[in-house]
Amino acid sequence: MSDNSPLVGILSGSASDKPIIDKITGVLDSFDIPWEYNVLSAHRTPNRCAEYVKGAEGKGIKVMIGVAGLAAALPGVIAAHTLLPVIGVPGDGGPMQGSDALHSIVQMPPGIPVATVGIGNGRNAAYLATHILALGDESIRSRLAAYREGLGDSE
Ligand code: RP5
């Protein structure tokens, strides 16, 4: 497996979620964390979605991030098909501006957790993924520690 193998697998339910994806990948790139992104929907492409998720761990992915709006089943469906940790990002679109997606993603049944970040908060999904990866990777941990120290510079 090459050093550039993705460590984070990102899925979104639609290409229209791309602005949130850009927030995620911007942070991951800042930590030199390789990722891959696919549009796969829990509702529109359920079989391809499940197939991708079942294969993710075997190709070296350590954390999954799911982004979805409206009746946002995607992060929960990802969690149903893998033992990898799953982070969910509620999309901020639609008539309820993401409160529907937030409740869909955060209210998982016991035993199948999804770590849910704020509505549209792709950056925090990426930071949380970085924390998880830092547990087993000293170079990521040192870059994360430097970032956190830098936050204090603006105090
Ligand atoms: C969800 O429905 C997607 O994640 C997106 O946030 C929302 C709207 O999708 P489009 O109608 O823009 O494709 O599945």
Side-chain angles (χ1 to χ4, degrees), residues 12-14 16-17 41 44 67-70 91:
S12 80
S14 169
S16 68
D17 298 309
S41 167
R44 292 163 168 156
V67 179
L70 306 178

Side-chain angles (χ1 to χ4, degrees), residues 18-28 92 120-123 126:
K18 185 69 167 40
I20 297 175
I21 304 305
D22 290 341
K23 293 181 190 174
I24 297 170
T25 57
V27 171
L28 294 177
D92 52 8
N121 200 336
R123 294 178 68 204

Side-chain angles (χ1 to χ4, degrees), residues 68-121:
L70 306 178
L74 180 62
V77 166
I78 296 171
H81 288 297
T82 183
L83 297 183
L84 293 172
V86 179
I87 302 168
V89 187
D92 52 8
M96 300 179 76
Q97 299 178 310
S99 60
D100 44 4
L102 171 64
H103 288 105
S104 298
I105 294 173
V106 80
Q107 289 287 20
M108 285 297 293
I112 314 291
V114 168
T116 308
V117 298
I119 296 169
N121 200 336

Side-chain angles (χ1 to χ4, degrees), residues 12 15 24 44 58 63-64 71 76 81 91 124 128 142 147 151:
S12 80
I24 297 170
R44 292 163 168 156
V63 185
M64 293 289 311
H81 288 297
N124 260 4
L128 180 53
S142 68
Y147 163 73
L151 287 180

